[in-house]
Amino acid sequence: MPVYGLIKQILPSPNGAFLAIVTEHTVHIAVLPDSSHLSSTDKSPIRLKTYQLGPTTHVIPEAPVVSALWHPLGLHTNIGGCLVTITADAAVRVWELDRNNHWSFDQPTLAVDLKKLVDGTSSDQDFAPSGFGKNKGFSADVFDMEVASACFAGNGNDKEDAWAPMTLWVAMKPGDLYALCPLLPSKWQAPSTTIPSLSSAIIPKLAALEEAPEDLEEELIACRQQYEWLREIDEQEPMNPQATSGTIQGADVFTRPANPSSIPRLQGPFRFDTGDELDDLGLCDILVIAARLNVEDLMVGEEEELAAESGDQDKLSATVICLTSGNG
């Protein structure tokens, strides 16, 4: 296989059709052979078909790849999948791969520079990372926003908080945490509880904020944007997902809403109060465990019992964030 450099990560896609192979600077997508080969008597080596992802994006002169993640709500079939890459310079890219379209391995469908997003003032700004070979210029955020690791807050299970699988948590080496939400591919699958759950969270909150005093104006604007975003999903006719092993059972497939913007919102920086003066926590890795779905809110005014009701009651009602640092 044409993979040069030390391999840092190997990630099978959710349905086992592909293997992402990540070195410090490159990402390769291998097509996994059919499982029937496991019982074959032929012992000769199998040469895997591979594609290089972003041959002008993930290359040695550019920032190292820190994390690669298959998107929990991406469409994963035998001809394609959705991979998210995060580089050390805080650039997040969403790749919607299709073996019938080689261009899909060359260019991401969504790319966001978190350093630009931190300073952003309007949703129609250009938040894309600077192109190959471009002078990046100096920014005070370069050191504070050096990425250590990233992960999604959920895995697309219909018993977890609806925002979780569309929230990407990013840990910076000095200790700041950011949440990017909703981070979605242009076509995504919504587990059966997602839309009812978001509706039961957003609509009562909006009604309450519209009655609230003026000092909650910012919160009201944010909630109105969430409502517009949800309404666009609600007005769509969901596409029938192909019945493949990569589709979440009972999920509908939607197009990512265009309003207020396809660019997700950045929340943070969040930081632990360690009680001492140390500036640099030297973070290495992050793991996020999703909060459980709030079934009580979902059942208000509903007569039918929800299948999710008997679900993960052992899960906490809050998101759990686990971090490791270099000093143990």
Side-chain angles (χ1 to χ4, degrees):
M1 270 180 58
V3 176
Y4 306 101
L6 197 63
I7 293 174
K8 300 278 190 179
Q9 267 184 295
I10 54 170
L11 304 150
S13 64
N15 64 338
F18 300 95
L19 186 70
I21 301 157
V22 186
T23 74
E24 190 161 16
H25 285 281
T26 62
V27 181
H28 306 265
I29 307 295
V31 181
L32 289 174
D34 191 86
S35 58
S36 62
H37 287 284
L38 294 171
S39 53
S40 165
T41 53
D42 182 7
K43 296 290 184 281
S44 56
I46 298 171
R47 186 171 176 80
L48 296 183
K49 166 82 175 160
T50 60
Y51 302 85
Q52 185 168 348
L53 191 69
T56 59
T57 303
H58 296 312
V59 285
I60 285 170
E62 300 294 304
V65 181
V66 173
S67 294
L69 307 157
W70 293 101
H71 197 301
L73 302 181
L75 300 183
H76 298 285
T77 68
N78 290 334
I79 60 160
C82 179
L83 190 76
V84 178
T85 59
I86 302 97
T87 49
D89 62 351
V92 175
R93 295 175 175 89
V94 178
W95 307 81
E96 293 176 65
L97 310 176
D98 177 356
R99 289 183 65 187
N100 297 326
N101 173 11
H102 278 249
W103 181 249
S104 68
F105 292 86
D106 279 4
Q107 293 293 330
T109 52
L110 185 68
V112 186
D113 184 338
L114 301 192
K115 295 190 296 296
K116 289 184 182 177
L117 212 50
V118 160
D119 300 324
T121 53
S122 159
S123 62
D124 50 17
Q125 278 176 248
D126 176 16
F127 293 110
S130 302
F132 178 62
K134 294 271 171 61
N135 181 6
K136 305 287 194 282
F138 175 76
S139 159
D141 294 325
V142 166
F143 302 107
D144 287 342
M145 297 192 70
E146 186 185 352
V147 176
S149 185
C151 72
F152 279 97
N155 58 17
N157 181 325
D158 62 6
K159 298 178 181 69
E160 69 191 10
D161 176 67
W163 291 113
M166 55 182 98
T167 303
L168 181 74
W169 281 90
V170 183
M172 306 301 175
K173 282 186 179 175
D176 288 341
L177 305 180
Y178 291 89
L180 196 60
C181 178
L183 180 65
L184 290 171
S186 61
K187 296 274 187 293
W188 63 287
Q189 11 178 7
S192 59
T193 53
T194 298
I195 309 305
S197 173
L198 293 177
S199 301
S200 71
I202 293 168
I203 293 168
K205 186 180 176 185
L206 180 60
L209 283 168
E210 285 181 332
E211 303 292 318
E214 283 180 15
D215 60 348
L216 293 173
E217 187 69 22
E218 263 188 50
E219 216 177 316
L220 175 59
I221 291 167
C223 196
R224 276 185 183 145
Q225 288 179 336
Q226 287 184 348
Y227 176 72
E228 288 303 314
W229 180 86
L230 180 65
R231 194 174 68 172
E232 193 177 327
I233 296 171
D234 231 12
E235 288 172 354
Q236 285 183 38
E237 196 60 51
M239 292 164 269
N240 280 336
Q242 298 160 311
T244 64
S245 55
T247 310
I248 299 167
Q249 196 172 1
D252 286 320
V253 174
F254 293 98
T255 301
R256 178 181 61 219
N259 288 312
S261 167
S262 61
I263 301 290
R265 293 292 185 267
L266 187 68
Q267 292 172 282
F270 304 106
R271 190 147 206 208
F272 282 99
D273 181 2
T274 52
D276 50 32
E277 296 303 308
L278 283 176
D279 264 340
D280 195 338
L281 295 182
L283 294 186
C284 300
D285 207 355
I286 181 170
L287 169 72
V288 180
I289 302 164
R292 70 164 183 254
L293 181 75
N294 190 331
V295 176
E296 291 77 21
D297 282 0
L298 214 52
M299 292 306 294
V300 173
E302 296 290 332
E303 289 175 11
E304 283 184 43
E305 291 290 302
L306 258 188
E309 195 167 18
S310 59
D312 290 359
Q313 290 308 308
D314 54 333
K315 273 194 173 177
L316 294 175
S317 57
T319 301
V320 179
I321 300 171
C322 314
L323 298 167
T324 59
S325 69
N327 60 8

